[in-house]
Structure formats: C-alpha cells, structure tokens
C-alpha cells in the first residue's frame, strides 16, 4: 500500500496497525459555479485520500501548492477520491478552486479502511476517462487522451464511437468534394484531419449531449475495462455498448402496489 510522506506522518497519530487514525483528510465543502473541480465532476462531500499514490493528510494550502506546481510543470497529479463507499482516481492538472473542509474522526477512520483495499498501478499508465449517462443509465465512456486514429482516419474513429450523424456528415464531405475535383478532395481530407486533431474528444462529448447523455463522471484508469468497473461501482445499473463488466442489475420498472389505508 502507499506510504505516507514524512511530513504527513508527523501530524498523524498512528494506531497499532501503523496507519493514522487522527490525521484528517481534505473534504470538498462546496463547488463554485465556475471551477476546475466542477469540470472534473467532483461533488460536495468527496474526500481526497492520496496524491500520486501516497496517503495525503496535509492541509488545504499544501494541496493547492502541489496542484499549482503540477500546472507550472505541465504535469498531472493522480488524486485518489473517496465518494461514499467507492474509491477512484482522477488526474488533476491545476488547482481545483473549490472550498474545502476536513473530515471528522469517523469519516477519517472509514476512509482509511477503504484506502487499504485500493490498488495502484504505474502512474504513467493512467488516463482520464469521461462518462456521460442518460436517464436509462446508458453510459458513453471515452478516453480523453489524444487518438491518432481520429486524425488519420476520422470515419473509423467515429464508427468506433458510434457517432452516426457526424460519420454521415464526414462521408458526405468526402463524396461531395471527390465528385467536384480530386484537388478539392485532398484539401478536404487535410482540413478534416486538422479539425479532428484539434477537437476530437470534445466532438464526442457534444455528440453525446446531443443524444441526451449528460456529463456524469471523470475518472482515471489504466483501461476502458477499469473505467467501466468504476462506473459500475458508482452506479450498479450502468449499461455500456461494449461491456467489460457484464450486464447491470435489472432496472425495476414495475409500478409499486398501492398501499391501502385501514380505518382506525
């Protein structure tokens, strides 16, 4: 399991098992209307457990400084979040700009117990995934990292993401430009490649919103299967087009029977 920094351990009282029981964690108290933390879909009550796989019990100012240094270096911090009974990671590139508080003794103890079972991989293998969900619990999940396929073969990339309307529009541009002249077709190919290079994951996000999927979650994972597992833990009824985690729990659509009132 992750070891604590020396300066973190100084402020925490250790139990017989070797883990702090009084070193409180940072907890999100509120989210301003405009903040990087809101863009990452963090919530009130989320607890920050670790930074770069090391248990974090420093104060808020030191956390903000660590985020600021990451932004200046053009790097990312792997921040471990506890949300209820679920722990997941997220890559943070700059200060969250949120209002923080500290966990109570009971919250601290519960968070420590959850952290014991959390496993980390090689930090460089993590990528942020965005999940958008509709009212029927169908989830669109995509990797926010750059994809060369989107630049080289936009139709194949759109087909992979099942973005049918943008796929039809892209093919129409290819066909129309080729029908006019091969020179115009070549120009269109380069212009579309440049466009998809710049906007790729934002295009999928906007298309998902068009299909009535709403921004739900951002999490860091080493694979789509791991990201799906995080989504399934947070919502046992989450469904995916290409599921690595099996079918979800059935959604109960039966109306509840009316309760009869008996006269006193």
């Amino acid at each position: 399991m992750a070891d604590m920094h020396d300066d973190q351990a100084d402020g925490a009282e250790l139990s017989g098992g070797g883990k702090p029981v009084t070193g409180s964690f940072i907890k999100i108290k509120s989210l301003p209307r405009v903040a990087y933390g809101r863009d990452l879909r963090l919530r009130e009550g989320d607890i920050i457990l670790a930074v770069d796989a090391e248990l974090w019990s420093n104060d808020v100012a030191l956390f903000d400084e660590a985020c600021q240094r990451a932004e200046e270096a053009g790097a990312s911090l792997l921040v471990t979040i506890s949300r209820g009974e679920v722990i997941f990671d997220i890559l943070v590139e700059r200060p969250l700009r949120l209002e923080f508080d500290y966990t109570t003794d009971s919250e601290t103890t519960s968070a420590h117990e959850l952290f014991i079972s959390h496993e980390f991989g090689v930090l460089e293998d993590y990528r942020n995934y965005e999940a958008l969900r509709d009212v029927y619990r169908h989830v669109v999940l995509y990797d926010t990292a750059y994809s060369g396929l989107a630049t080289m073969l936009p139709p194949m990339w759109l087909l992979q993401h099942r973005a049918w309307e943008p796929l039809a529009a892209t093919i129409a541009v290819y066909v129309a430009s080729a029908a006019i002249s091969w020179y115009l077709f070549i120009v269109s190919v380069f212009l579309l490649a440049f466009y998809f290079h710049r906007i790729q994951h934002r295009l999928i996000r906007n298309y998902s919103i068009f299909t009535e999927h709403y921004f739900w979650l951002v999490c860091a994972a080493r694979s789509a299967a791991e990201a799906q597992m995080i989504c399934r833990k947070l919502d046992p009824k989450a469904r995916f087009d290409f599921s690595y985690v099996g079918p979800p729990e059935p959604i109960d659509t039966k109306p509840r029977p009316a309760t009869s009132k008996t006269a006193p």
Side-chain angles (χ1 to χ4, degrees):
M1 213 36 156
D3 296 329
M4 293 178 58
H5 289 296
D6 292 339
D7 55 352
Q8 294 170 331
D10 290 340
E13 178 184 342
L14 300 183
S15 68
K19 57 183 182 298
V21 294
T22 59
S24 60
F25 296 111
I26 299 171
K27 180 173 65 173
I28 297 176
K29 183 177 181 181
S30 65
L31 294 85
R33 293 184 63 85
V34 179
Y36 178 52
R38 183 179 288 274
D39 295 340
L40 295 177
R41 286 307 182 263
L42 296 174
R43 298 181 181 178
E44 294 181 8
D46 284 351
I47 299 172
I48 296 173
L49 292 180
V51 175
D52 285 345
E54 296 192 352
L55 204 62
W56 185 274
S57 57
N58 278 329
D59 61 19
V60 172
L62 291 176
F63 177 73
D64 286 339
E65 289 177 9
C67 294
Q68 186 66 44
R69 288 195 299 270
E71 181 181 22
E72 293 171 355
S76 298
L77 298 176
L78 185 72
V79 178
T80 304
I81 303 294
S82 171
R83 179 176 297 172
E85 297 296 320
V86 178
I87 292 182
F88 62 95
D89 303 297
I90 189 169
L91 290 173
V92 173
E93 298 176 348
R94 56 183 185 270
L96 298 177
R97 308 300 183 191
L98 305 177
E99 185 176 352
F100 295 103
D101 200 352
Y102 295 97
T103 54
T104 63
D105 290 343
S106 61
E107 289 173 333
T108 301
T109 302
S110 298
H112 273 295
E113 295 299 326
L114 290 173
F115 184 74
I116 292 173
S117 61
H118 189 61
E119 297 181 357
F120 293 98
V122 179
L123 299 184
E124 290 74 16
D125 292 341
Y126 284 86
R127 304 182 301 277
N128 266 352
Y129 286 80
E130 291 184 357
L132 291 90
R133 182 179 60 175
D134 66 8
V135 295
Y136 303 105
R137 308 291 184 83
H138 178 264
V139 176
V140 174
L141 183 71
Y142 55 89
D143 183 354
T144 61
Y146 169 77
S147 172
L149 182 63
T151 301
M152 302 301 296
L153 294 171
M156 292 299 297
W157 182 76
L158 291 170
L159 182 63
Q160 182 184 44
H161 288 279
R162 303 168 69 91
W164 307 122
E165 286 84 354
L167 174 62
T170 301
I171 293 176
V173 170
Y174 287 150
V175 172
S177 59
I180 296 173
S181 73
W182 284 106
Y183 173 76
L184 183 60
F185 172 73
I186 294 173
V187 172
S188 299
V189 168
F190 279 101
L191 288 177
L192 284 175
F194 177 75
Y195 174 76
F196 278 90
H197 174 78
R198 294 291 302 272
I199 201 174
Q200 43 185 259
H201 82 266
R202 283 179 291 172
L203 175 64
I204 295 300
R205 180 195 298 168
N206 292 337
Y207 177 72
S208 299
I209 294 173
F210 169 74
T211 58
E212 298 185 343
H213 290 75
Y214 302 100
F215 208 0
W216 172 45
L217 176 71
V218 178
C219 65
R222 292 162 290 179
S223 65
E226 188 175 55
Q228 286 188 9
M229 181 60 69
I230 295 170
C231 292
R232 181 62 59 78
K233 288 179 180 179
L234 289 167
D235 182 1
K237 292 182 173 62
R239 299 184 297 110
F240 307 94
D241 286 328
F242 303 100
S243 179
Y244 297 97
V245 294
E249 294 181 0
I251 300 177
D252 186 11
T253 58
K254 296 181 180 179
R256 295 183 178 180
T259 57
S260 59
K261 296 182 179 180
T262 58

